[in-house]
Amino acid sequence: MNKLLTCLLLGISLTAQAQSGKEIMYVGTYSIRGSEGIYVFEFDRKTGTMQPIQSVSNAKSPSFLAIHPTGKYLYSVNEGADKLGGVSSYAIDKATGKLQFMNGQSSLGGGPCYISIDQTGKTAFVANYGGGSLAVLPINTDGSLSAPSDSVQDAGTGPNTQRQDKPHVHSATLAPDNRFVYVADLTTDKLNIFDVNAKTSTVKPASTPYIAVKPGSGPRHFTFHPNGKYAYLVEELTSTVAVLSRNAKTGALTMIEDNVKTLSDGFTGQNTSADIHIDPSGKFLYQSNRGANTLAIFAIGSDGKLTKVGDQPTEGKTPRNFLIDPKGDFIFVAHQDSDNITIFKRDQKTGKLTFTGQSVKVPAAVCVIMANR
């Protein structure tokens, strides 16, 4: 075969791959009901279907996942690790999306439940729910994790004696400018703000070190509007959302609306809110509700305020993390207690969702993310 023909065939092959619409997805799970650990899928955008391509053994509940900015590495918290917690790193095969374990480190606290990677790709931030602390881990040039270089132990209690008996750090979210990390503590009803030193992988309290929400609300997950001016906080225990504005210079937050109701008027059962995301256009916000088993849908005004659009049943039990795909066409919902991921088509004009009928079996699904490709 001559070189010209080889190049033509290679070009045809690459074009076919680009047009196939297939993308790689990763699912984190709890190590129960037969879960093997982390599951790898190929998503075909044209057909709206997910096909399994790998399962990666991890018996310590690799529940929450994050991908390195280069797309070369994946990280999981190991929520079922011992009292010192655990974090794992994996190399991603760019051709297939498959994972290869690299190394693990302690997170210096029990029950790690959230991990994020800064934009330089040099630092990982881990929220320890059980330990009530934040851990900061340097990332080596080969993508593997170093031992923690910094940690912050929270303290306090809240009015909900069952859920707020001791600190429960639930998330660590990087600011769009990578200068600050926002750390939600479900117990203290505070969103703590830290300055990030990307060179040394350390943190210190920002000049305005936190913002408090209504006592008993239970801050959980946090997200920024694409314009960087506004941010939104899940209040787990009251099934509400807080709307905030952000000072880009100091990182300080100001409350615009607090305790915005996410449940429908007719719902009377028990519920806790979980995850929150904004579509790529910045027009709509979605928040998952466990108990009601719905996604609350809000339109976002030019002032950042929210207007309820509706509630979408998620076709499963206990929706945890969910994913809005980068193009804004689909939403994938991970269900902890019905062992499935459901796929919805999204109307980009109205924000409303339509169930595609696709339900993918994954034991104790907790987190679903899509690769940078």
Side-chain angles (χ1 to χ4, degrees):
M1 186 180 293
N2 62 44
K3 290 184 178 180
L4 177 60
L5 181 57
T6 301
C7 289
L8 285 171
L9 290 174
L10 178 61
I12 292 170
S13 174
L14 292 172
T15 300
Q17 289 180 34
Q19 293 176 345
S20 70
K22 292 179 180 179
E23 297 157 272
I24 302 300
M25 302 177 67
Y26 302 94
V27 181
T29 68
Y30 284 134
S31 298
I32 55 176
R33 296 194 294 276
S35 174
E36 295 182 34
I38 300 172
Y39 291 78
V40 187
F41 289 88
E42 191 172 60
F43 175 64
D44 190 318
R45 186 173 292 271
K46 289 185 177 181
T47 62
T49 57
M50 293 169 61
Q51 298 298 328
I53 59 174
Q54 186 191 26
S55 59
V56 181
S57 180
N58 182 330
K60 295 183 178 180
S61 291
S63 60
F64 201 87
L65 311 175
I67 294 176
H68 193 272
T70 63
K72 295 180 178 179
Y73 315 108
L74 179 139
Y75 304 89
S76 78
V77 297
N78 299 322
E79 199 164 341
D82 63 22
K83 62 182 180 180
L84 292 179
V87 191
S88 295
S89 65
Y90 300 85
I92 297 175
D93 185 317
K94 292 290 283 186
T96 64
K98 292 183 177 182
L99 302 177
Q100 178 66 48
F101 176 77
M102 291 193 295
N103 79 326
Q105 294 286 356
S106 166
S107 65
L108 302 181
C113 65
Y114 192 100
I115 184 168
S116 56
I117 312 299
D118 87 308
Q119 293 171 20
T120 70
K122 295 179 180 179
T123 309
F125 298 85
V126 178
N128 293 307
Y129 180 85
S133 64
L134 170 72
V136 186
L137 291 81
I139 297 174
N140 300 316
T141 54
D142 65 356
S144 63
L145 292 162
S146 287
S149 53
D150 203 359
S151 64
V152 180
Q153 179 64 54
D154 216 351
T157 59
N160 185 324
T161 56
Q162 289 186 322
R163 296 293 310 279
Q164 296 180 313
D165 58 324
K166 62 179 183 178
H168 292 302
V169 174
H170 222 310
S171 62
T173 306
L174 273 300
D177 59 13
N178 210 53
R179 292 174 52 225
F180 304 93
V181 62
Y182 295 80
V183 180
D185 190 328
L186 181 138
T187 290
T188 63
D189 295 309
K190 290 179 180 178
L191 189 63
N192 297 307
I193 309 170
F194 295 95
D195 285 318
V196 174
N197 187 325
K199 292 183 179 180
T200 61
S201 295
T202 56
V203 298
K204 66 178 182 179
S207 56
T208 300
Y210 67 87
I211 187 169
V213 297
K214 186 177 178 180
S217 297
R220 182 183 170 97
H221 284 189
F222 184 62
T223 191
F224 288 97
H225 191 280
N227 66 18
K229 296 179 181 179
Y230 305 113
Y232 301 84
L233 174 67
V234 172
E235 297 168 313
E236 176 180 336
L237 303 181
T238 50
S239 302
T240 53
V241 58
V243 182
L244 309 117
S245 63
R246 175 177 176 267
N247 183 316
K249 184 177 181 180
T250 66
L253 299 169
T254 301
M255 189 67 67
I256 298 175
E257 297 180 291
D258 196 10
N259 276 142
V260 177
K261 182 180 178 182
T262 66
L263 294 170
S264 64
D265 292 335
F267 182 77
T268 58
Q270 292 185 335
N271 185 81
T272 54
S273 292
D275 200 18
I276 189 168
H277 294 288
I278 296 171
D279 80 302
S281 73
K283 294 180 180 178
F284 298 97
L285 178 142
Y286 302 81
Q287 183 165 317
S288 59
N289 280 313
R290 301 169 297 179
N293 297 327
T294 58
L295 292 184
I297 308 170
F298 292 90
I300 302 174
S302 58
D303 58 358
K305 292 184 178 181
L306 301 176
T307 301
K308 188 76 176 287
V309 171
D311 297 280
Q312 174 63 50
T314 59
E315 309 297 333
K317 187 176 181 181
T318 318
R320 292 285 299 258
N321 173 249
F322 63 95
L323 167 72
I324 304 175
D325 89 271
K327 294 183 179 180
D329 294 328
F330 294 92
I331 287 185
F332 308 82
V333 185
H335 295 94
Q336 177 183 339
D337 292 328
S338 54
D339 300 335
N340 66 327
I341 294 171
T342 49
I343 305 175
F344 296 84
K345 195 78 171 66
R346 200 179 75 87
D347 186 317
Q348 300 204 27
K349 292 183 179 180
T350 66
K352 293 187 176 181
L353 307 177
T354 302
F355 180 45
T356 64
Q358 294 293 321
S359 177
V360 181
K361 183 174 177 56
V362 182
V366 176
C367 175
V368 54
I369 58 175
M370 187 173 280
N372 308 324
R373 292 173 74 83

